[in-house]
Amino acid sequence: MSKFSRVPLDEYTTILGQETAKLGQYDVLHQVWSWDGVTAESYIFCNDDVAEMDDDEIKHIVAQSPRVKSENDNINLTRSDSGYTFVNFNANLSD
């Protein structure tokens, strides 16, 4: 069973694509999604994998990814009770 098999899905969010990947030394699930007129991307970490890191350290790792369009991109992080940490980036209003 994949470590990301229990990532919760919001009923109003459409997943446009996803794949497991490595971000530095960390396993992540990369998702591209759409919700309420916004399209964005997320890196999803297992909470246990980043438990010793603070939010700024995680955001810094994500900001180094070539998928992040700009270092000044608004990167949002949420540590969920579901067992996952969601880091959202590249948010754009859909046409």
Side-chain angles (χ1 to χ4, degrees), residues 1-7 27-28 46 49 84:
M1 178 182 294
S2 165
K3 68 189 329 181
F4 298 105
S5 63
R6 295 180 191 236
V7 170
D27 295 320
V28 294
C46 288
D49 291 347
Y84 297 97

Side-chain angles (χ1 to χ4, degrees), residues 5-33:
S5 63
R6 295 180 191 236
V7 170
L9 298 175
D10 181 277
E11 68 178 293
Y12 300 108
T13 301
T14 301
I15 304 300
L16 303 173
Q18 69 178 19
E19 64 183 345
T20 56
K22 281 281 203 192
L23 190 59
Q25 69 186 39
Y26 301 97
D27 295 320
V28 294
L29 179 65
H30 173 252
Q31 288 185 337
V32 179
W33 50 268

Side-chain angles (χ1 to χ4, degrees), residues 8-82:
L9 298 175
D10 181 277
E11 68 178 293
Y12 300 108
T13 301
T14 301
I15 304 300
L16 303 173
Q18 69 178 19
E19 64 183 345
T20 56
K22 281 281 203 192
L23 190 59
Q25 69 186 39
Y26 301 97
D27 295 320
V28 294
L29 179 65
H30 173 252
Q31 288 185 337
V32 179
W33 50 268
S34 175
W35 173 82
D36 197 28
V38 174
T39 57
E41 298 179 58
S42 298
Y43 280 127
I44 303 167
F45 297 81
C46 288
N47 283 351
D48 291 343
D49 291 347
V50 294
E52 300 299 320
M53 299 173 67
D54 67 31
D55 292 358
D56 287 338
E57 289 173 305
I58 299 168
K59 287 179 182 181
H60 178 74
I61 289 169
V62 170
Q64 303 307 307
S65 168
R67 292 188 184 272
V68 177
K69 293 180 182 170
S70 167
E71 268 189 46
N72 298 323
D73 187 41
N74 188 17
I75 297 173
N76 297 302
L77 184 146
T78 303
R79 293 183 193 245
S80 170
D81 291 339
S82 67

